[in-house]
Amino acid sequence: MKADVCGYNPLAVPWVPRARPAVSLSVALTLAASAAGQSAASRTFEDDPPGRPPPGFTFHVVRRASPVAWTVQRDAGNSFLAHPGDPGGRAGFALAVLEGAPRGRVSVSVRIRMAAGTRSAGVVWKVQDPDNYYLARLDLDRQDIGLYRVVKGNRVRIEGEDDLELDRSAWHTLKAVQESENIRVYLGGIRVLRARDRTFEDRGSVGVWCAADATVHFDDLRLDPRSGNADSHRGR
């Protein structure tokens, strides 16, 4: 397991390639179908008025002078939560945290489309405050997915995978499941990361994360603390 400490540049995360299996992750993602599970709670944003922040969220900015307005937007009949990129906020990032904190097992997923700016966004859980949480981040500029713990604002990479070869303009579904110290991260229904970590054992909120200069759309934020899909994964 690799762990790289990231200081105050949240995007500069070194990664040392490891030996790879014969079947690449990009091929596995192409061949596998995404399984749609039932959720205990979900936010599709269809009932939220466009042009306004959706209720039930708290918004945070880190390493930026001022926040931008998260709003619900509609495109081709679909509603989603949008973060407009701030060109001056390249060194910062933003969080939209759903109010409330699930107990015990956590399963949270979201659909993400990165429209412009730094194409780096993800899902967060066990959020204690804007400086302490777990993060599963998809970076389409680097074609990389990583699992991180953020402690006192410093991000540490627990596990990761690169060379994804994903469409930069498409919607991608990212999911994280945690049971006790066991963490699994899924991309498009495929388990791509697995790790153990006990940093945050208390209850915590869930939400979404993105680079401050990124224009990102989030949809179908689903939280299911009770049950999850069976693993669909490649050999590791």
Side-chain angles (χ1 to χ4, degrees):
M1 180 181 298
K2 298 289 183 180
D4 297 322
V5 177
C6 180
Y8 279 95
N9 184 347
L11 302 179
V13 181
W15 174 245
V16 179
R18 60 177 180 272
R20 310 184 65 81
V23 179
S24 71
L25 176 58
S26 60
V27 172
L29 288 171
T30 301
L31 296 177
S34 181
Q38 296 298 317
S39 296
S42 64
R43 290 297 298 270
T44 64
F45 306 104
E46 295 300 322
D47 297 327
D48 297 312
R52 300 180 184 178
F57 285 84
T58 302
F59 303 97
H60 304 278
V61 293
V62 180
R63 302 171 194 162
R64 285 171 60 189
S66 60
V68 298
W70 294 72
T71 60
V72 174
Q73 295 184 9
R74 290 188 64 82
D75 179 22
N78 180 51
S79 294
F80 49 82
L81 176 61
H83 176 270
D86 175 11
R90 187 172 179 81
F93 50 90
L95 297 94
V97 179
L98 191 62
E99 296 169 0
R103 296 178 180 274
R105 181 189 189 279
V106 175
S107 174
V108 58
S109 66
V110 69
R111 295 175 63 234
I112 303 173
R113 179 172 64 184
M114 306 181 203
T118 300
R119 284 172 164 80
S120 181
V123 63
V124 293
W125 68 101
K126 296 280 187 178
V127 179
Q128 312 299 305
D129 55 51
D131 291 322
N132 296 275
Y133 51 87
Y134 287 114
L135 163 67
R137 184 191 73 163
L138 181 62
D139 190 324
L140 295 182
D141 289 335
R142 300 165 62 95
Q143 290 293 314
D144 168 272
I145 186 172
L147 168 64
Y148 304 85
R149 59 175 175 265
V150 178
V151 180
K152 296 181 180 179
N154 293 310
R155 196 169 73 222
V156 177
R157 183 163 174 144
I158 302 171
E159 185 59 280
E161 194 70 65
D162 56 9
D163 297 332
L164 298 182
E165 301 180 11
L166 297 175
D167 186 343
R168 285 162 47 97
S169 61
W171 286 93
H172 299 285
T173 300
L174 191 60
K175 177 180 178 180
V177 178
Q178 182 164 5
E179 298 173 277
S180 185
E181 76 271 21
N182 297 304
I183 303 172
R184 305 188 301 276
V185 177
Y186 301 78
L187 180 60
I190 306 299
R191 194 195 74 205
V192 292
L193 301 176
R194 179 174 58 184
R196 291 185 177 182
D197 193 90
R198 302 180 65 92
T199 302
F200 303 115
E201 298 187 83
D202 296 332
R203 295 175 60 184
S205 301
V206 303
V208 295
W209 177 104
C210 66
D213 69 328
T215 299
V216 185
H217 304 153
F218 298 94
D219 198 6
D220 296 335
L221 177 61
R222 300 178 183 272
L223 171 64
D224 185 355
R226 301 169 302 176
S227 62
N229 298 328
D231 282 354
S232 174
H233 63 280
R234 61 185 183 132
R236 291 180 64 86

